[in-house]
Amino acid sequence: MPSPTRPGTPALLRVLNDRTALGLLLENGPTTRNDLARLSGLSKPTAAEMIRRLEEAGLIAATGESSSSRGPAAVLYSAVTDRAIGVAIDVQPLGISSTVVDATGATHPVVFQAAGDAAGEPDAATDLARAIDAACAAASCDPESVTVVCVGIQGSVEPRTDDLVFTDELPGWPRHRVTATLSEALGADVHVENDANLVAIAERREGAGHDASTFALLWMGNGLGLALDLGGTVHRGAAGGAGEIGYIGAPVDAAAYDPDARLVDDLVTSRTIELLAARQGITGDGLDELLDAIAGHPQRLLILDELAPRVGLVVLPALAVVDPERIILHGPIGIAFGDDLATRVESWLEQHSRWSTPVSGPSITETPVLHGARHVLIDAVRQALVEAVAHLPSPGDDPPELSRTTG
């Protein structure tokens, strides 16, 4: 067994240089040797040596030539990303969506499998394995290369006990040792995250929250959730239950809008949309059908006028406790009504509270949960590839193998 590298030794410097080179290739895409030297601040001979070691280890490969009007074309090198990939999964009542995520962040097909398509009783490990296989097939990837999986659910995992909490759904899922059980069954590192939190990550990275110091994201659909982004970090709470506002009692003022509301969850969910739509003679089978019917109805804005005060009452606790810079309305209801609803909620808050917080609709409307999981996974699979640099072989050895677990 080799002795540990000591600070300042050539072996340690080699590892640091190789990690730098691989990181730059992952970040910048195909790069020439000279450009790698320029980006890293190292000499051209050192860059050439880094490329040689990484290429021999199978972590990078020549993928083309640069087009140049002066002198011979230079070889372009790219990171080899198919040795460690992730799969993003969104578990919803109607089915499971999944997509492959690689270290470059390239877009791969999204596959949807309806609930009930599989034979037998629901089983979390079996259902997730099917989703992984389907995503890999659509992306022409080997499922054996999957090292990490990020799953969005309508619920949370207690970080101290690894128990499934804040959900009464998810049939076939283990209630205890959730991530440990699924990681063992799938042979990959499994991260289970609240779906609203993943959407907040997506809106922070590439959406309406990218320039806000803090923001609260209200997820409105069949259930209700609130994600809190504090300076670029999602606040999950000690038990993973931060933002589970649907479980608290409805405020007294709610009786003016819905005398039957007992919980905050009763104010803005599919039940609410069904109630408001029925007042206008609109019916539909399920939330999605109702939202589609409302979209083209002449009384759409009247429905939003009735919905906005309810949304305002729901976000008031977050304003009082966190005072975020922005509120983002999201989930199926937020996506369907967008800025039309956001403008009305913002106006209601100005008139009925002490806050004048900007409210906006969602920026990411297509598979937002998968978008958030994708950002989590890009970081994870890049780390897996970079960590492999520490195990580069001596001449004549086989290339290093990447572990199927990274945690």
Side-chain angles (χ1 to χ4, degrees):
M1 180 176 179
S3 60
T5 53
R6 296 185 301 276
T9 64
L12 176 61
L13 294 176
R14 174 180 62 80
V15 170
L16 294 177
N17 287 342
D18 291 347
R19 284 181 175 176
T20 298
L22 184 58
L24 289 170
L25 288 168
L26 288 169
E27 189 68 31
N28 295 283
T31 305
T32 66
R33 182 191 65 182
N34 289 346
D35 284 340
L36 186 61
R38 176 178 56 82
L39 291 168
S40 65
L42 298 170
S43 67
K44 292 180 181 179
T46 300
E49 182 63 16
M50 292 188 300
I51 286 174
R52 182 192 64 77
R53 287 194 298 265
L54 292 172
E55 189 173 23
E56 287 183 356
L59 293 173
I60 70 171
T63 54
E65 295 182 341
S66 66
S67 56
S68 176
S69 58
R70 295 181 300 174
V75 176
L76 289 168
Y77 294 92
S78 300
V80 176
T81 60
D82 59 1
R83 297 177 58 192
I85 60 175
V87 174
I89 300 176
D90 179 15
V91 178
Q92 297 292 329
L94 295 180
I96 299 178
S97 300
S98 60
T99 187
V100 162
V101 179
D102 63 35
T104 68
T107 301
H108 294 283
V110 173
V111 180
F112 177 77
Q113 296 174 309
D117 281 355
E121 294 296 320
D123 176 76
T126 301
D127 294 342
L128 295 181
R130 288 178 60 243
I132 291 170
D133 289 343
C136 288
S140 300
C141 295
D142 183 2
E144 290 297 315
S145 298
V146 176
T147 63
V148 60
V149 179
C150 184
V151 187
I153 63 169
Q154 294 182 354
S156 302
V157 173
E158 221 278 21
R160 298 167 298 189
T161 63
D162 201 18
D163 289 346
L164 192 64
V165 292
F166 295 103
T167 181
D168 298 321
E169 304 298 330
L170 297 176
W173 275 63
R175 259 43 192 177
H176 308 290
R177 297 186 70 250
V178 181
T179 59
T181 299
L182 294 177
S183 295
E184 292 166 4
L186 297 175
D189 189 13
V190 176
H191 300 266
V192 180
E193 178 64 274
N194 176 264
D195 51 5
N197 287 345
L198 289 176
V199 177
I201 291 172
E203 289 287 353
R204 163 62 72 178
R205 294 287 188 96
E206 55 180 304
H210 77 280
D211 59 350
S213 60
T214 59
F215 68 85
L217 183 143
L218 182 65
W219 176 272
M220 302 175 290
N222 289 308
L224 189 66
L226 187 76
L228 299 172
D229 179 293
L230 307 179
T233 300
V234 173
H235 178 67
R236 295 173 176 83
E244 294 289 352
I245 58 174
Y247 290 95
I248 65 177
V252 174
D253 292 347
Y257 305 101
D258 187 347
D260 295 325
R262 297 293 178 265
L263 298 173
V264 169
D265 193 64
D266 295 328
L267 287 173
V268 187
T269 56
S270 54
R271 168 188 173 275
T272 307
I273 299 303
E274 183 177 351
L275 175 67
L276 298 182
R279 291 178 182 174
Q280 306 301 326
I282 304 173
T283 59
D285 185 14
L287 178 61
D288 290 341
E289 190 172 310
L290 275 173
L291 293 175
D292 287 341
I294 293 171
H297 198 275
Q299 300 301 322
R300 174 180 179 271
L301 296 182
L302 182 60
I303 292 174
L304 298 191
D305 288 339
E306 294 192 72
L307 180 61
R310 298 163 179 263
V311 178
L313 286 172
V314 170
V315 301
L316 271 176
L319 294 177
V321 175
V322 181
D323 190 18
E325 186 177 322
R326 177 177 298 276
I327 297 287
I328 301 173
L329 305 182
H330 222 296
I333 295 173
I335 291 171
F337 299 141
D339 288 335
D340 285 338
L341 177 59
T343 300
R344 286 164 169 77
V345 173
E346 184 175 316
S347 177
W348 187 90
L349 289 171
E350 290 177 352
Q351 296 172 25
H352 295 84
S353 78
R354 294 178 179 269
W355 287 270
S356 301
T357 306
V359 181
S360 64
S363 297
I364 301 167
T365 58
E366 296 292 330
T367 61
V369 176
L370 294 181
H371 269 73
R374 178 173 170 271
H375 284 294
V376 172
L377 291 171
I378 289 172
D379 294 341
V381 293
R382 284 186 178 183
Q383 185 63 27
L385 288 171
V386 170
E387 288 299 322
V389 170
H391 307 288
L392 287 181
S394 301
D397 290 348
D398 292 330
E401 292 189 3
L402 289 168
S403 169
R404 282 177 56 81
T405 58
T406 59

